[in-house]
Amino acid sequence: MTVEEADSSSKWSREQDKAFENALASYPEDFSDRWEKIAANVPGKTLEEIKEHYELLEDDVNRIESGCVPLPPYNSSESSAGDEGAGKKGSSHSGNCNSESNHGSKNSRSDQERRKGIAWTEDEHRLFLLGLDKYGKGDWRSISRNFVVTRTPTQVASHAQKYFIRLNSMNKDRRRSSIHDITSVGNGDVSAPQGPITGQSNGTASGGSAAKSTKQPPGHSVAPPCISVHGVPTMGQPIGGPLISAVGTPVNLPAPAHMAYGVRATLPGAVVPGAPVTYPMPHTSAHR
DNA sequence: CGCGTAACAAGTTCCTTGAC
DNA sequence: GTCAAGGAACTTGTTACGCG
C-alpha cells in the first residue's frame, strides 16, 4: 500500500497523528484490544484506518531496518552531532560523542568536567520514536542499535525518561517547548537541519521560537527547512495532505519514493511552519 | 548486565525592572 | 515608549545508585 492510498482514503490531521502516536506508545503490542483502544484515542478514525496507518508505519520501519533507507551517517564519528548537529550549544562537544567511547570510563567528574550534553536532534528524536514503536518501551538497546545509532542505550534511556516525563506533564500550565513535544515522527517540520532542536538552542525548530518570534528573525524565511535538508519535496509524495504517518517520516533520510510520508504537510492552521508542535499555551502570558 | 529513577549541573529562554 | 541588563525559571543531558 502506499501512502497515497492511505492518504486518499483518509487524511490524518496533525492532532490525529499525534493522538495515534501517543496511543501507540500507551498500548503495547501485546495489549489486549490494542487497536480498539488506540482507535478510541484517535478521534475520527476507524479501527481499520488505524491499522492501515500502522502498517504504513511498520513498513517504514522495515525499510529502515533492511537498509533500504540509508540512515544518516550519524555514528560515523563526528557526523551529525559534530557537524551541523552542534547548532550551538552542542557545539563545543567534541563531536563525537560519547556515543560509546568514553562511556565506560568514568572519569571522575572532577577530572573531566561533566560532559556537556549533546542535544538530540530532531532526527534522532524521530528515530527514537520509531524505535519506540518498534521495540517498545524498555528495549533501549535495540533502539540504540537499530535506530538511534548515534546514541548509547544509556542515552536513549535517559532521553526516554525525559520524554515520558514530558508527556505526563503535558498539561502543565506554561511550559517551554522542547524536542519532546514531537510525539510523532511524522511531524516533519524539521526546520533546523540537524541542529539540536532541543528547544533551547535555536528555537526555530520548536515552538519556542514561535512564541517569542520577536527576538527570532523570521527563521524559516531563511531556508526552507525541510527542502534543503531532506530534499523533502521529493519524498515522492503528494504532499498535499497532512502529514501522514506518524512514523514514516523523512527522518532526514533520503526516503525512498514510496515514503510518501509528507514531511510537512501543508499545515492548514499551522501557525509556524517550522514549529512542530506547540502546546496549547505559548502565547498566554507572553504579552510583551 | 541492563533498566529505571533520582540528583546534579549546564545552558537557554522568559519576565521584570530600571534607565534613557 | 523603547531598549538593555539582571535574575529567575525551565529544559535537557550526564552520572550515580538501586533493583530485577
Side-chain angles (χ1 to χ4, degrees), chain A residues 142-186:
Chain A
S142 296
I143 294 175
S144 170
R145 285 179 183 169
N146 305 308
F147 286 87
V148 197
V149 297
T150 52
R151 302 283 175 170
T152 64
T154 301
Q155 289 179 304
V156 172
S158 173
H159 185 70
Q161 179 186 31
K162 307 296 183 189
Y163 174 64
F164 288 114
I165 287 175
R166 181 79 184 188
L167 283 182
N168 289 327
S169 58
M170 216 49 157
N171 45 8
K172 259 190 174 179
D173 266 355
R174 33 180 3 214
R175 280 200 286 56
R176 295 177 188 171
S177 57
S178 79
I179 191 171
H180 296 305
D181 295 340
I182 301 173
T183 57
S184 90
V185 196

Side-chain angles (χ1 to χ4, degrees), chain A residues 25-258:
Chain A
S26 301
Y27 306 106
E29 283 189 56
D30 52 327
F31 195 92
S32 59
D33 298 328
R34 185 191 192 198
W35 299 114
E36 284 76 11
K37 296 286 186 184
I38 294 176
N41 280 287
V42 183
K45 291 294 173 188
T46 65
L47 195 68
E48 292 183 357
E49 291 175 318
I50 297 289
K51 288 183 178 179
E52 192 176 341
H53 196 56
Y54 182 75
E55 284 177 28
L56 283 174
L57 178 160
E58 199 170 43
D59 186 48
D60 276 348
V61 173
N62 289 331
R63 283 171 182 281
I64 290 174
E65 287 192 309
S66 61
C68 292
V69 182
L71 291 168
Y74 286 142
N75 62 344
S76 53
S77 51
E78 28 302 11
S79 47
S80 76
D83 212 323
E84 61 263 326
K88 77 187 307 195
K89 149 190 236 181
S91 49
S92 52
H93 334 103
S94 29
N96 174 47
C97 357
N98 45 359
S99 286
E100 28 267 280
S101 42
N102 51 5
H103 228 348
S105 57
K106 300 180 178 178
N107 326 354
S108 49
R109 46 170 78 173
S110 54
D111 189 30
Q112 171 187 352
E113 16 184 309
R114 199 179 239 269
R115 273 185 298 148
K116 289 181 181 176
I118 297 176
W120 279 58
T121 65
E122 243 183 73
D123 287 335
E124 287 178 315
H125 183 61
R126 289 208 167 84
L127 285 171
F128 162 73
L129 291 175
L130 278 170
L132 192 60
D133 278 331
K134 177 74 177 180
Y135 298 107
K137 186 177 178 180
D139 197 351
W140 312 126
R141 213 171 18 150
S142 296
I143 294 175
S144 170
R145 285 179 183 169
N146 305 308
F147 286 87
V148 197
V149 297
T150 52
R151 302 283 175 170
T152 64
T154 301
Q155 289 179 304
V156 172
S158 173
H159 185 70
Q161 179 186 31
K162 307 296 183 189
Y163 174 64
F164 288 114
I165 287 175
R166 181 79 184 188
L167 283 182
N168 289 327
S169 58
M170 216 49 157
N171 45 8
K172 259 190 174 179
D173 266 355
R174 33 180 3 214
R175 280 200 286 56
R176 295 177 188 171
S177 57
S178 79
I179 191 171
H180 296 305
D181 295 340
I182 301 173
T183 57
S184 90
V185 196
N187 272 340
D189 310 304
V190 183
S191 50
Q194 286 200 325
I197 17 69
T198 32
Q200 13 182 352
S201 27
N202 53 19
T204 13
S206 23
S209 60
K212 59 176 292 177
S213 52
T214 45
K215 293 182 180 179
Q216 216 90 72
H220 348 297
S221 59
V222 182
C226 316
I227 302 180
S228 58
V229 185
H230 306 121
V232 175
T234 45
M235 298 312 260
Q237 67 325 323
I239 294 188
L243 53 119
I244 331 224
S245 100
V247 180
T249 356
V251 190
N252 189 30
L253 323 167
H258 92 286

